[in-house]
Amino acid sequence: KAGVTQTPRYLIKTRGQQVTLSCSPISGHRSVSWYQQTPGQGLQFLFEYFSETQRNKGNFPGRFSGRQFSNSRSEMNVSTLELGDSALYLCASSLASGTLYEQYFGPGTRLTVT
Amino acid sequence: QKEVEQNSGPLSVPEGAIASLNCTYSDRGSQSFFWYRQYSGKSPELIMSIYSNGDKEDGRFTAQLNKASQYVSLLIRDSQPSDSATYLCAVSNYQLIWGAGTKLIIKP
């Protein structure tokens, strides 16, 4: 079974621009969660989508948004990029939303904002 | 505030020895517990999940859960240099809370 895929793998953007990252979950998985990881902050939860609905949201500004499509693929968008948005963005999929379900991570998208 | 605490390390263990990684959590209602391994520059990889008190073994890895004391641990037997990584503990009660990770170094 194919794993979680994320595109693009690497991205360089300029301050003020916007960016869209894509995530395709494991086949049959309906929940997708997004995380930001930086060396100093560890894994920070952005949001979770299940059946095209945002189920949970972390403590990030409104510049960070996401959506999920009917085939469970998900995108996240960051508008008006800031230098501090440079990070590894990880997508994780699970069978469903809830306590018992294991999350499996994609390889991540490394975003550099200059 | 729900918290998951891990010693940041680095924890240095000789090759062939047992590495013991610990994690404590604050939410008594937590129901699911996960250990992930993350190599530098890579994404986290699920190693073990445990849902009930006691031990769960998978190869060289053993997860131990004690809900009364609110801790979960991961033992790695016969440690290998390839086990050198950061180990993340995650605890869930309808919301997954992550620890900051323990960096493990296995010395040949």
Side-chain angles (χ1 to χ4, degrees):
Chain A
K1 199 182 247 189
V4 180
T5 58
Q6 291 186 246
T7 56
R9 293 291 311 278
Y10 302 92
L11 208 47
I12 299 175
K13 289 287 189 178
T14 305
R15 262 186 314 176
Q17 289 185 314
Q18 76 165 19
V19 66
T20 299
L21 312 182
S22 180
C23 171
S24 292
I26 293 170
S27 177
H29 284 196
R30 295 170 60 197
S31 173
V32 173
S33 297
W34 287 90
Y35 294 90
Q36 181 194 67
Q37 189 174 40
T38 57
Q41 297 295 318
L43 265 179
Q44 301 292 313
F45 172 71
L46 281 155
F47 26 67
E48 180 197 6
Y49 286 88
F50 176 71
S51 293
E52 302 179 63
T53 301
Q54 189 180 88
R55 297 295 297 266
N56 289 299
K57 188 177 188 306
N59 189 25
F60 277 81
R63 300 186 296 108
F64 292 82
S65 63
R67 59 178 175 169
Q68 187 180 35
F69 302 95
S70 58
N71 62 357
S72 295
R73 191 177 70 84
S74 178
E75 289 181 347
M76 70 161 281
N77 184 276
V78 187
S79 62
T80 319
L81 283 166
E82 300 177 358
L83 293 178
D85 296 333
S86 295
L88 179 66
Y89 289 88
L90 292 160
C91 158
S93 79
S94 59
L95 271 172
S97 180
T99 300
L100 301 179
Y101 297 99
E102 301 165 339
Q103 291 190 0
Y104 297 88
F105 284 84
T109 295
R110 187 163 296 281
L111 172 65
T112 302
V113 182
T114 62
Chain B
Q1 174 113 0
K2 299 174 184 176
E3 293 182 339
V4 175
E5 300 283 345
Q6 294 183 258
N7 189 319
S8 61
L11 174 66
S12 184
V13 174
E15 182 177 356
I18 295 175
S20 178
L21 303 161
N22 298 311
C23 170
T24 59
Y25 59 94
S26 62
D27 183 3
R28 283 198 169 274
S30 298
Q31 302 176 52
S32 307
F33 307 84
F34 307 96
W35 282 100
Y36 286 79
R37 176 177 63 197
Q38 186 173 25
Y39 293 114
S40 180
K42 303 293 186 182
S43 60
E45 172 192 10
L46 179 67
I47 299 175
M48 296 279 285
S49 54
I50 186 167
Y51 304 98
S52 55
N53 278 330
D55 295 0
K56 179 182 178 182
E57 188 175 317
D58 184 1
R60 296 187 296 111
F61 298 95
T62 298
Q64 299 176 317
L65 175 61
N66 184 323
K67 289 186 178 181
S69 300
Q70 294 176 245
Y71 82 79
V72 55
S73 61
L74 180 70
L75 302 178
I76 307 174
R77 290 183 299 281
D78 188 23
S79 296
Q80 303 296 310
S82 59
D83 294 326
S84 298
T86 295
Y87 289 80
L88 301 169
C89 171
V91 174
S92 180
N93 180 17
Y94 298 103
Q95 181 182 359
L96 195 57
I97 308 296
W98 292 84
T102 298
K103 184 172 183 177
L104 175 66
I105 298 173
I106 306 300
K107 289 188 170 181

